Amino acid sequence: MNAVLHQSTSDQKPRQKTTWVRVALLTLTSPNLTPLDLHKAKVQSFLFRLSTRLRVHLAVVVGSEAGNTHSHLAIAVPDDEVGRFLLSVRKHRLA
């Protein structure tokens, strides 16, 4: 399995003295034999949309595999955004 850490999508400086709390473990799957570069682009797009929709910062560790193309994601948010993350997830699940 390939371990990949996606780069920052902005020029902002990292948050200083932030404690990150793991809030989710996900598996994202593409159809078999999907090129890994295409799958990674889709994963990055998903993460951008997730962060935007939930209005939280994300720290993500991603492991990807080709062939049976999928990725495992460990997602963390700053400790001061955990409440907002949980409320947003609950709100969007009901919508």
Side-chain angles (χ1 to χ4, degrees), residues 6-43:
H6 290 285
Q7 300 299 317
S8 171
T9 57
S10 73
D11 294 331
Q12 294 178 352
K13 294 181 181 178
R15 293 172 54 115
Q16 298 297 320
K17 299 181 183 177
T18 299
T19 301
W20 293 85
V21 178
R22 188 174 65 196
V23 293
L25 297 172
L26 302 175
T27 299
L28 300 179
T29 305
S30 293
N32 285 342
L33 303 177
T34 298
L36 194 54
D37 289 342
L38 176 59
H39 175 74
K40 287 180 182 180
K42 289 182 178 187
V43 169

Side-chain angles (χ1 to χ4, degrees), residues 15-87:
R15 293 172 54 115
Q16 298 297 320
K17 299 181 183 177
T18 299
T19 301
W20 293 85
V21 178
R22 188 174 65 196
V23 293
L25 297 172
L26 302 175
T27 299
L28 300 179
T29 305
S30 293
N32 285 342
L33 303 177
T34 298
L36 194 54
D37 289 342
L38 176 59
H39 175 74
K40 287 180 182 180
K42 289 182 178 187
V43 169
Q44 188 171 6
S45 173
F46 168 81
L47 291 170
F48 178 78
R49 288 182 286 125
L50 181 68
S51 177
T52 302
R53 181 161 293 178
L54 300 183
R55 299 178 339 133
V56 295
H57 296 89
L58 301 176
V60 183
V61 177
V62 180
S64 300
E65 186 174 343
N68 175 9
T69 311
H70 67 281
S71 294
H72 299 284
L73 296 80
I75 299 177
V77 299
D79 59 353
D80 62 340
E81 295 183 11
V82 172
R84 183 168 52 212
F85 174 87
L86 295 174
L87 285 173

